[in-house]
Amino acid sequence: MSEYKTIDVAATQMLDKAKEIGFLTTFDRAKAQEPRCTFGNTGICCRICLQGPCRILPKKPGGNKGVCGAMDYTIVARNTVRYIAGGAAAHSDHGREIAETFLHVAEGKVKDYKITDTDKLMRVAKQIGVETEGRDIMAIAKDVAMLALQEFAEVDESKELTWITKFSNETRNQKFRDTTIMPSGINLSLAKLLHQTHIGVDADPVNIIFGGLKAALSDVAGEHLATDLSDILFGTGVPVVTEANLGAIKADKVNIALHGHNPLLSQVVVTAAKEMQEEAKAAGAAGVNLVGICCTGNEVLMREGVPIATNFSTQELAIMTGAMDAMVVDVQCIMPSIRTAAECFHTKIVTTMPIMKIPGAYHFAFDEQHAMDSAKKIIRLAIEAFKNRDKDKVCIPNIRNTVVAGFSLEAMYNIFKKINPESPMKVVTDAIAAGEIKGVAALIGCNNLKGTHDFNHTTIAQELAKNDVLLLATGCSAQAHALAGLMNGEAVKKYAGEGLKKFHARLNAAAGLTAELPLMFHMGSCVDNSRVQDFATAMANEMGVDNADIPFVVSAPEAMSEKAVAIGAWNVAYGNPTHVGVIAPTVGSQLVNDVVTKIAEDVFGGFFFWEPDAHKASARMVEILEERNWKNAMRKKARDAREASK
Ligand code: NFS
Ligand code: SF4
């Protein structure tokens, strides 16, 4: 066992190296922050106005409320939903940026981007009600782009978000209307939520939570359109075989890490890198080698098979290899400390987005008109850096695992269709009905150094697999499994229960791929959780039951970011039991905590549960799946009996 809080062997080696050179990593900083303040940890610290911070101090006369009189439940509810606003803003703004470029492509105004997946364009257009019959592709694309941008601009509260209503089933849409959480415009619902949680506005915790859920549904729309438009521009993921872990960094090549979330520039860097291999060779390297970190890494993995270097908590350690020539970052989940880490080496940190700069880093402002030029300049900067690389400082852990990824919903359907061409999702629901698999779990979200890096992710995956649960993954969770060698066919042999093994064998025989299907199906980045929800909705539709009745669970074993809170919240609204592997800062108010962990189930069928212990969490998830299957069986029995007595 490592002396550090990680299960990753390569990370352990790099942490040793960091220690040797005296570089303090996020692992040291996490330790330095302990013990945490109980007020903040449980959510009862309010900093919403300048009279604060106010803490709940029940023992002092007048101390049981904030200065304005806000109760613990108001403070906790406000803090929680403000996380959702932050997360939904991040996802949606990412979606909006893609939609802007998409519009310019449709208008023929940019040269470095094109419509790559016309089939997907047609499918999305039809789904959202854009006329396709006999129309020019670009005209259709323009209408899709305009509708996408309208999702942000809408201020008429009687309207409903297209990317919610057209991709959810009618039962859920009605649920969203009945509970007043159906959003009309993305920007509107986020602004409203910030207004609602200003000092002296909403004091009712339940009303605040419903405002938060409306913002969370805006997050779904932002994510879904980001996924759709990225697929149309860059291609929809198909199965790819590649590798993961720090061993994907090559000593003899110019190494460039693509890190962040927005694929607009990184996708062009991939294209540019293919053209610039010779330039790298002229500089004495064996070529250009791209690796991914966080969700930008997932985007280029899904579409281009770019290997994964590492995930969130270990991003600094990719630099510790001494062989990282440039790290190109866009937005979200980029630790500012990568710049300090880079100072110990020759690594160039390149920021690319106007809202994301790091003092001392290079800034190549992304501009869709000159995306290819920027990409080439960045690669040249990396080639220059390579020439200055100190070979004595290079130490790359010899660890890499085979990864089979690229499972967009379309890619999964292509496999299912080989077994059941008419109703592909029936392949899954039949296997559940037959008791071969217990259900489906989606492992998603971040790393959080309150626990041990990647321990919860990989332990839960193994436990669920043993219990015959079909596994989907996105985000840094997917990367954790990839790094640990769980994302390949070997892992099925090692960890899957007998039922899951049989299910996989059937899929493998049908899929006819050169590589065996992996234990975990990597569905993409965190915005691609929209794919995961589409999977769940398809299950509900196939089974003819409400979303809240399907044997489907979600787990964010090491949740960290505001985006993860937004994703968790909408999962609950969609009826999904949602495990979070850290204790949420809702526990400071019994009332709010009960609303999100208990009452939510009565309203939406979905609910949160906090469980830091990976084994207990897995057991609970299996129990939930079994319970839902049992209920479905009972309902069927009752229905059959009724039919028979007619
Ligand atoms: Ni998701 Fe992806 Fe990772 Fe968490 Fe950050 S990279 S968008 S937020 S840390 S999973
Ligand atoms: Fe304190 Fe109320 Fe201001 Fe919050 S809003 S900081 S509880 S006075």
Side-chain angles (χ1 to χ4, degrees), residues 46-54 66-70 75 78 199:
C46 182
R47 289 176 50 252
I48 277 173
C49 89
L50 305 188
Q51 293 192 93
C54 295
V67 173
C68 67
I75 292 174
R78 281 198 305 222
I199 177 180

Side-chain angles (χ1 to χ4, degrees), residues 92-144:
S92 303
D93 201 41
H94 161 176
R96 191 194 50 75
E97 269 160 6
I98 309 253
E100 290 271 356
T101 300
F102 191 92
L103 173 65
H104 300 149
V105 172
E107 292 174 336
K109 288 185 184 158
V110 283
K111 61 178 193 328
D112 296 339
Y113 299 92
K114 61 176 198 302
I115 303 287
T116 300
D117 190 341
T118 339
D119 289 348
K120 179 129 191 183
L121 171 65
M122 290 304 179
R123 275 200 308 280
V124 172
K126 284 193 187 119
Q127 188 97 19
I128 61 174
V130 167
E131 185 53 56
T132 53
E133 253 337 279
R135 292 184 70 204
D136 174 57
I137 293 281
M138 288 307 181
I140 297 169
K142 186 167 177 186
D143 283 357
V144 170

Side-chain angles (χ1 to χ4, degrees), residues 246-382:
L246 292 176
I249 298 168
K250 305 292 174 213
D252 58 349
K253 291 193 174 174
V254 175
N255 293 297
I256 303 176
L258 303 170
H259 178 14
H261 286 77
N262 189 326
L264 278 177
L265 181 60
S266 51
Q267 187 70 35
V268 185
V269 174
V270 177
T271 312
K274 286 177 193 153
E275 292 173 17
M276 292 175 72
Q277 295 296 338
E278 289 312 314
E279 233 172 280
K281 284 180 189 158
V288 179
N289 179 45
L290 301 177
V291 293
I293 301 178
C294 286
C295 283
T296 287
N298 283 326
E299 299 271 352
V300 289
L301 164 80
M302 292 286 285
R303 300 196 178 91
E304 305 281 352
V306 171
I308 296 168
T310 197
N311 57 356
F312 174 75
S313 280
T314 38
Q315 54 186 274
E316 296 161 316
L317 304 181
I319 297 171
M320 287 299 131
T321 58
M324 189 56 73
D325 301 299
M327 190 179 274
V328 189
V329 303
D330 46 78
V331 283
Q332 302 164 25
C333 303
I334 299 141
M335 293 188 197
S337 57
I338 52 170
R339 231 290 292 178
T340 335
E343 261 175 52
C344 310
F345 300 92
H346 68 296
T347 313
K348 304 288 182 221
I349 303 293
V350 184
T351 60
T352 55
M353 292 292 183
I355 60 160
M356 196 298 179
K357 297 186 179 180
I358 302 175
Y362 288 77
H363 188 73
F364 283 67
F366 168 74
D367 152 16
E368 60 179 23
Q369 294 298 338
H370 305 99
M372 189 48 103
D373 293 346
S374 300
K376 287 187 173 164
K377 276 190 197 144
I378 290 168
I379 296 175
R380 273 188 199 118
L381 184 75

Side-chain angles (χ1 to χ4, degrees), residues 488-517:
N488 50 46
E490 277 311 299
V492 177
K493 295 188 188 98
K494 256 200 208 147
Y495 302 108
E498 287 313 310
L500 187 59
K501 269 192 194 139
K502 267 195 224 148
F503 181 74
H504 268 267
R506 212 163 49 251
L507 289 190
N508 270 321
L513 299 174
T514 47
E516 282 184 354
L517 292 167

Side-chain angles (χ1 to χ4, degrees), residues 91 260-261 294-295 298 312 332-333 444-447 474-477 479 525-527 560-561 563-564 567:
H91 278 150
H261 286 77
C294 286
C295 283
N298 283 326
F312 174 75
Q332 302 164 25
C333 303
I444 66 171
C446 329
N447 289 136
T474 58
C476 286
S477 185
Q479 296 184 322
S525 64
C526 288
V527 295
M560 170 278 300
S561 78
K563 292 175 287 173
I567 293 169

